[in-house]
Amino acid sequence: MTATVPPTPSDPPIPDPAGRVELPPGTTLTDGRFVNDDLLPVPLARRRWTTYNFTALWVGMAHNIPSWLLASGLVALGMDWKQAVFTIALANVIVLAPMLLTGHAGPKYGIPFPVLARASFGLRGANLPALIRAGVACAWFGIQTWIGGQGVFVLLGKLFGGWAQASEVGGQPWTLWVCFVLFWALELAIIYRGMETLRRFENWAAPFVIVGALVLLAWIANKAGGLGPLLDQPSRLGWGADFWPVFFPSLMGMIAFWSTLSLNIPDFTRFGAGQRAQVWGQTLGLPTTMTLFALLSVFVTSGSQAVYGAPVWDPVALAGRTDNVFGLLFALVTVLVATISVNIAANVVSPAYDLANLAPRLISFRTGALITSVVGVLIMPWKLTETPELYIFTWLGLVGGLLGTVAGILIADYWIVRRTALDLPDLYTPGGRYWYTSGWNLRAVAAFLVGGVLAVGGSHSAPGKGPFPEDGLIPFLKPLADYGWAVGLAASLVVYVALMAGHRRA
């Protein structure tokens, strides 16, 4: 057999005073198909992330260029600053709920997302949500790395001149490709040193990026003649019939932005000192900092509209309009820190664990990170951020629908079906209670298919604005497309609970 388990399954480990559980003494797990050091529960002695660590993690992840593009993109789509900030604040309050619900398993059991998914999808079936999450993360890694490399290219080009006129390779100046590769290599060097290095990096990166954003706000306010012009830019949508068709898909897009982390947040909370640390850390870190950053973003974008006559939604392009050498260097360092901070934490940690779950014998955490970095380049990320419509409606809408569907199943299984009670050894043991049908829980697969089709089946694009048919992939589902994340989460949760009725709990 592949694992040695405690003497009797009726003798579970006793939680510590913080409600945390670790593998019972004497447990040996050796099946290389489902176990490696990166997937095993974190020992209690190593679960020491505090409220500050989680808050700093979110501050570092929230303050990044794609987050900026979310808010400034809403202004570019016609919202005024009040509408854009309201949309983003509401979205982050909503997405905090599944973040806390899935994050609960981290401090309690010390397990990463793909191992948690084994309870609902089965030991083999967990690879389905893990690979979906990994694929999305790889794409996000590529997007962030491209934006970071582009920022370096623009700002160094302003300093030294002539970079944009370099000969082209693949439709882009070769100097841009050099910046992209160097930025890519720098990220890998940091992640190779492990999670403890990431924790320390996030602790100082978070306040630095806030200062950088405030400096950019002060600069554009000075050029605009004060804060007044930043607040006076009118909405092109009003609050009537023109507003709501933009608001609802935008709201789902804002939720979708962090729907990735609402799945794999156990990858971080597994290092938590207790539930209090992760709950307060995430509550203080996510909705507050995203709303603050949205304010900064829309103020600066509104200011650019007042100064230049049109909204400049890309902060790198905006910073590139200054001729101050010190300002350019400061902007360059801010772009580097902000992008690395979020990209490593949000887009490398998760697929590294997810890919390790696919083949634990062959893929370690570091190997998974390397695979992520390569796939992130192959998806050609420069295509996904060409326009606000493609970025917010198409990319984020599709991602949100699929990931919301997975989140519904995880929440239903952990909170409703199992009431947070998991058998740790069986999460790694073939033939145990999470083996289901040859390692697959077909009920979870069915719930995923139903939720996924309802969530993204009606995906559509405005004429000439995206890859989907104007009438939707499945026309009669088009009315649901603007609510993809919510539809996917609710549908999969209800279907999964119904299908699991009567199935024995862990």
Side-chain angles (χ1 to χ4, degrees), residues 140-381:
W140 271 122
F141 176 84
I143 290 172
Q144 293 271 14
T145 303
W146 176 255
I147 289 174
Q150 197 174 40
V152 174
F153 168 78
V154 170
L155 297 176
L156 289 182
K158 286 286 292 184
L159 283 174
F160 302 112
W163 284 45
Q165 287 72 46
S167 57
E168 292 190 354
V169 176
Q172 302 288 349
W174 68 266
T175 46
L176 175 55
W177 292 115
V178 169
C179 292
F180 177 57
V181 171
L182 289 176
F183 195 83
W184 176 85
L186 178 61
E187 292 174 315
L188 286 190
I190 293 175
I191 195 61
Y192 189 79
R193 297 181 63 86
M195 289 293 292
E196 188 61 23
T197 299
L198 173 63
R199 182 178 70 88
R200 293 196 297 267
F201 181 81
E202 294 290 350
N203 284 346
W204 71 264
F208 181 86
V209 174
I210 294 176
V211 172
L214 290 172
V215 168
L216 188 58
L217 174 63
W219 172 70
I220 197 66
N222 180 65
K223 290 186 71 70
L227 288 175
L230 278 62
L231 305 178
D232 291 341
Q233 299 303 312
S235 169
R236 300 197 306 271
L237 303 173
W239 288 95
D242 292 336
F243 174 70
W244 301 110
V246 176
F247 169 74
F248 284 110
S250 296
L251 180 68
M252 291 300 108
M254 302 305 106
I255 293 172
F257 188 76
W258 289 125
S259 65
T260 50
L261 267 292
S262 69
L263 295 186
N264 75 285
I265 194 64
D267 294 344
F268 301 96
T269 60
R270 67 194 298 231
F271 298 96
Q275 297 299 338
R276 185 181 182 88
Q278 74 101 2
V279 169
W280 279 107
Q282 294 203 77
T283 302
L284 293 172
L286 172 57
T288 54
T289 54
M290 279 295 289
T291 301
L292 171 63
F293 205 54
L295 277 168
L296 293 174
S297 173
V298 297
F299 285 169
V300 171
T301 305
S302 295
S304 71
Q305 185 171 339
V307 173
Y308 300 110
V312 181
W313 77 307
D314 185 343
V316 173
L318 183 60
R321 299 201 178 199
T322 181
D323 294 321
N324 183 286
V325 173
F326 174 78
L328 284 168
L329 287 173
F330 184 79
L332 173 61
V333 174
T334 303
V335 166
L336 284 169
V337 173
T339 308
I340 291 173
S341 176
V342 67
N343 211 19
I344 294 175
N347 302 319
V348 175
V349 172
S350 172
Y353 283 127
D354 296 337
L355 293 168
N357 185 72
L358 180 65
R361 281 196 186 103
L362 303 175
I363 302 176
S364 66
F365 179 85
R366 289 185 172 90
T367 305
L370 179 60
I371 295 172
T372 299
S373 67
V374 173
V375 175
V377 175
L378 297 179
I379 56 96
M380 297 188 292

Side-chain angles (χ1 to χ4, degrees), residues 401-439:
L402 291 177
L403 297 184
T405 301
V406 175
I409 295 171
L410 294 184
I411 292 169
D413 183 80
Y414 183 70
W415 286 96
I416 300 175
V417 175
R418 306 190 191 281
R419 310 291 175 88
T420 76
L422 299 176
D423 185 306
L424 270 181
D426 272 12
L427 287 171
Y428 301 88
T429 307
R433 67 191 67 199
Y434 308 118
W435 189 240
Y436 299 106
T437 304
S438 300

